[in-house]
Amino acid sequence: MKHNKITSKYLFVTLLNIVITISEFLGGILSGSLALLSDAVHNLSDVAAIIISFVAHLIGQRDRDKHKTFGYQRAETLAAFTNGVVLLVVSFLLMLEAFERFTNPQPVKGRLMLIIALIGLLANGVSMLVMSSGAKHNLNVRATFLHMMSDALSSIAVVIGAVIIYFWKSNLVDPLMTLLVSIFIMFEAYKITKKAANILMESNPNVDLEEIKKIVLSFPEVTNLHHLHVWRYSDDFIMMDAHVNVTEKMSVIQLEQLYSKIGQELKTKLGINHVTLQAECQRGIKEKMIVLNKDD
């Protein structure tokens, strides 16, 4: 039932944003407003982002198999990275067009621009309210809610520009608002792209390595920790593997118990979901926690 409600929300918001996008594209062309066109592109990118995010979420729910032994959760990360890169490119192109408009201002029909902008603002506000109810309990819904909120802020900028153009006939406001909206979109897109890239590059998700070492070595059976790797597999799944030196007298059962205790401590204190440890006696006893490549 909960899944059906989320699906219905995605469907409603997607259809509403498609209507907004078409209206703003037509309004931007007819009024000559670059700000409306930039907001339309923003909405179009969000429609794509919502669809891609939802499809990726469905793919991510699939069980692991012989082809994807880790599973399909990174489908959502790939979707986020793709959306981020597209937004960066589109924002850059809009900024170039805005600079061109500064040197060669174009007439803008302020009244038509204002009407379309108000419709866009109202629709974006409705979309934001629809997604707000589940934003606290579902990460995917929250991401969509943030998209809708950025759309609403973008629409407010366009409305302000339309009011100034309509009453004061200043055509330079249009490229100025376009520039501001593009910078805002680029900033948000950069954060999304960077986070997705860090996940794909298996970067350390800001976990304190010294704290890991402190926790692991707090167990008296462990004498050294080396060959440590920590990475984020997906948005909510952190993994770690490492070699630990232990005493020679430990049995397999004792090792299993030790692994379980260490894993539980790391999950409770640092949020590491999946821990893989390899026990050794003498090998690597003098090696450091992070071992550099031979070429380094």
Side-chain angles (χ1 to χ4, degrees), residues 43-197:
N43 278 299
L44 179 62
S45 66
D46 277 345
V47 170
I50 295 167
I51 295 173
I52 292 173
S53 179
F54 185 55
V55 171
H57 174 73
L58 294 178
I59 294 173
Q61 302 308 303
R62 294 175 60 182
D63 294 329
R64 62 187 68 179
D65 53 36
K66 63 180 181 180
H67 300 292
K68 300 290 185 294
T69 56
F70 271 106
Y72 290 82
Q73 288 182 320
R74 279 201 175 172
E76 293 187 81
T77 307
L78 286 169
F81 182 79
T82 302
N83 285 328
V85 171
V86 170
L87 276 172
L88 286 172
V89 173
V90 170
S91 299
F92 180 73
L93 293 175
L94 286 171
M95 288 175 69
L96 290 180
E97 183 63 26
F99 284 123
E100 175 65 24
R101 285 282 184 106
F102 277 121
T103 57
N104 185 24
Q106 301 293 321
V108 177
K109 298 177 181 178
R111 183 178 181 181
L112 179 58
M113 177 185 175
L114 179 58
I115 293 172
I116 300 297
L118 286 172
I119 293 173
L121 177 58
L122 177 63
N124 283 321
V126 171
S127 298
M128 190 172 68
L129 289 174
V130 169
M131 302 306 296
S132 64
S133 60
K136 292 182 179 180
H137 308 291
N138 186 296
L139 188 62
N140 223 21
V141 175
R142 178 166 177 76
T144 305
F145 170 76
L146 292 175
H147 270 293
M148 296 303 98
M149 185 173 70
S150 69
D151 281 346
L153 292 173
S154 177
S155 295
I156 290 173
V158 177
V159 168
I160 293 172
V163 169
I164 294 174
I165 290 171
Y166 181 68
F167 288 102
W168 287 277
K169 312 300 180 185
S170 175
N171 291 325
L172 289 176
V173 174
D174 186 58
L176 176 61
M177 290 301 168
T178 302
L179 192 61
L180 293 176
V181 170
S182 298
I183 291 173
F184 173 75
I185 298 172
M186 186 173 284
F187 179 72
E188 293 298 315
Y190 171 75
K191 291 192 294 185
I192 294 172
T193 307
K194 182 181 178 182
K195 183 177 181 180

Side-chain angles (χ1 to χ4, degrees), residues 198-213:
N198 281 333
I199 293 175
L200 295 174
M201 288 294 293
E202 299 187 342
S203 303
N204 176 10
N206 296 322
V207 176
D208 189 342
L209 300 186
E210 290 299 327
E211 186 63 24
I212 291 178
K213 185 176 181 179

